[in-house]
Amino acid sequence: MRPIVDFLLNDWLNVASLTERPRFADHSPETFAQVLDTCERIAREKYAPFNRLVDIQEPHFDGEKVTLPQATHDAWKAYAESGMLSAAQDYDIGGMQLPYVVEAAANGFFGKASISIGAGMLTTGNANLLMVHGTELQKQVFALNEFSGRWSGTMCLSEPQAGSSLSDIATRAVPDGDAFEADPLGPRYRLVGNKMWISAGEHELTENIVHLVLAKIPGPDGKLVPGVKGISLFIVPKKLVNAQAELTGERNDVVLAGLNHKCGWRGTTNTLLNFGEGKFRPGGQAGAIGYLVGRPGEGLRCMFHMMNEARIGVGIAATVLGMAGYEASLAYARQRPQGRPITEGGKDAARPQVPIIEHADVKRMLLAQKAYCEGALALELYCARLVDEAHTGAPESAAEASLLLEVLTPIAKSWPSEWCLEANSLAIQVHGGYGYTRDFPVEQYWRDNRLNMIHEGTHGIQALDLLGRKVVMQGGAGLKLLASRMSDTMARAGQVDGLAGWANGLGAALQQLGASTKSAWSTGVPEEALANATPYLQAFGHVVLAWVWLELGLAASASQARPDASDDERARAAGLLAALRYFHAYELPKIGAWLGVVASREPVCREMQDAWF
């Protein structure tokens, strides 16, 4: 994976230019490479050798504590000591002031080596949220100890009766005594409720676990406020702490009700947590102590800061799992002899068998994986580069980057989750029967990757967000900006031999996408427009990836034309150009069927009745 990462960062995204900005002035291409080297080494030594182990030796709960393999403890320790938990933070709190695009690329090595052995993404996201929305003391006590790896973090949204429907959560938070607002750690509440699907919700990896919990504060009548406006956000530590970040010795009223046993991603605990059941009685009474973050009723707004970051993280996870399967199937295809070439005279059984990579259909499956996974990696790093632009660019450029991120985040989360999963399926197919056994790693990659279409906002929710909000907000400003970026790429590609035809194809696809968007909303009836939101998401994603591949084609053509290009660089460029051809010839035409039902507002799915099934 390292060669394509280097190409994307250096040849395409030109991350070295970021060092001209004050925040990154101490960095250089050399320091960026050192970070990548370090993370690649730790992933190779502490993660990859134990990927199968954590899949087989699932977390075990004995009624008192959760036991994880020693390898998981060692991996967490190595990751925390690397400084990657606080990589993007300021120097004065122990950070590296690393561009997010480099951080994202570096973290990809860990996910590829073993996606479930570590849960650093949640801890970093939790702490980052507190750095934006927390009080100064909340930052000092909770966020900084998460960045150091002393404590870890979670996000607690879903409940057994309310999965994605957060407006229906029932966890209650009531003021803890008359002086509840005087607590130095923030207004203090008592929480009672249950949270489901909480990754890393219980373990012994760290001294403490910092839960960020969504709950509702009852109104004056004692009833919960309906809808999302009544949701607030609370810090609920597993073990209580004081204002000096010292453990008080008292357990909070948060207990593990049980572990969820998953299809994949088995190395990370996934939990049902009970808040306020009374097993522990801090201060002599039941109820989990939580400290309000931000203002009452603004919990979802605060949490979305973490959720949007997590959605890019999920896209990267899906991408690198696809990449792991691609690399495994490529290596297998190169060494597995089977079959003989078909010549004009048919097959000659007397000739030796050839490696299966010489067969066109195997090349098709490998090309599809390459197009899905390397294209997805480019998309994720482009979005990460937009994050850097939004934070450090000139005002106009920063505003455009933020707007593009709004439109692209549903794609960054969902497209790799669907198509890099398909890449994992193709990796199993390349292996034949061996791929369906646990003797080869590709079946585990598929099982691990299947989660990514579900968590941090399901596929359907991303589709509703895209068609229902992102492409129509501000009068369609985000979609127009994205189209202008694509048009710029098409204009440049039109001047390059071998790319002009693909540029024209992208132009036609973009026109079709725009027309279908208008047709979907032409009646102004949301139910009609959104019934086919998922096909719209699929088509939108394919158009975006066709654009990304045209961008990569421009970068590959420039690399290939350099007089000093090495043989390896020329081969990599040729491979990228072949993947571009594959995606535009085999994948982009699929948008016709998807957009057909969107444009016609095909009603069969919304009109289908329960009894007819």
Side-chain angles (χ1 to χ4, degrees), residues 85-156:
L85 286 166
S86 59
Q89 297 302 312
D90 295 347
Y91 293 134
D92 59 7
I93 63 169
M96 304 182 200
Q97 294 188 192
L98 196 67
Y100 179 55
V101 65
V102 179
E103 177 191 359
N107 276 325
F109 292 114
F110 297 105
K112 178 173 175 283
S114 182
I115 194 64
S116 71
I117 203 171
M121 178 184 78
L122 287 170
T123 297
T124 298
N126 179 311
N128 285 348
L129 181 152
L130 292 176
M131 293 301 290
V132 175
H133 299 289
T135 65
E136 287 305 313
L137 194 58
Q138 287 173 345
K139 296 174 188 178
Q140 291 291 325
V141 171
F142 297 107
L144 297 195
N145 281 293
E146 290 182 86
F147 284 137
S148 72
R150 178 189 173 198
W151 301 342
S152 58
T154 72
M155 54 191 292
C156 300

